[in-house]
């Protein structure tokens, strides 16, 4: 498979992730968009690493990004659950902090 096809798929995933983050208002969908962005970056890292088999930096960095994304997802979902308990909504636009 040529590198251009893999990079095009990465660009499509990245664009869909950005579109989800910008247009959607539900917190879980925004988190899914962020995960799409991480997956697009991982795909590009592994694709570039594939064309130099003696070096594994892209694959190792991709594993590190996957670990960080898993931790981010766990923390972000905990925050979303806490916000839902407090504000009774997961809609990002309806979360309003009280004035002091």
């Amino acid at each position: 498979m040529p590198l251009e096809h893999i990079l095009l798929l990465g660009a499509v995933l990245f664009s869909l992730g950005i579109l989800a983050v910008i247009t959607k208002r539900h917190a879980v969908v925004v988190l899914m968009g962020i995960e799409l962005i991480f997956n697009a970056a991982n795909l590009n890292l592994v694709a570039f690493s594939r064309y130099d088999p003696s070096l594994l930096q892209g694959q190792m960095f991709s594993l590190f990004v996957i670990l960080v994304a898993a931790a981010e997802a766990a923390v972000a979902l905990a925050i979303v659950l806490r916000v839902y308990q407090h504000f009774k909504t997961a809609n990002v636009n309806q979360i309003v902090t009280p004035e002091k």
Side-chain angles (χ1 to χ4, degrees):
M1 180 175 251
L3 179 63
E4 293 83 17
H5 293 244
I6 299 170
L7 295 179
L8 181 64
L9 178 62
V12 169
L13 284 175
F14 185 82
S15 300
L16 289 173
I18 291 291
L19 183 70
V21 169
I22 292 173
T23 60
K24 300 301 179 184
R25 299 295 171 233
H26 197 276
V28 175
V29 178
V30 171
L31 292 175
M32 288 171 42
I34 293 170
E35 291 298 323
L36 273 176
I37 294 169
F38 282 150
N39 287 334
N42 285 337
L43 184 65
N44 288 338
L45 287 170
V46 171
F48 283 123
S49 177
R50 178 179 174 217
Y51 286 93
D52 192 5
S54 64
L55 301 175
L56 295 176
Q57 285 97 354
Q59 293 172 359
M60 294 305 290
F61 191 66
S62 180
L63 285 174
F64 178 71
V65 170
I66 290 170
L67 290 173
V68 169
E72 173 262 336
V75 170
L77 285 175
I79 291 171
V80 167
L81 286 173
R82 191 69 178 159
V83 166
Y84 183 78
Q85 285 177 348
H86 187 266
F87 293 105
K88 303 295 185 236
T89 184
N91 192 338
V92 179
N93 288 339
Q94 295 176 351
I95 299 172
V96 179
T97 57
E99 305 253 345
K100 289 186 179 182

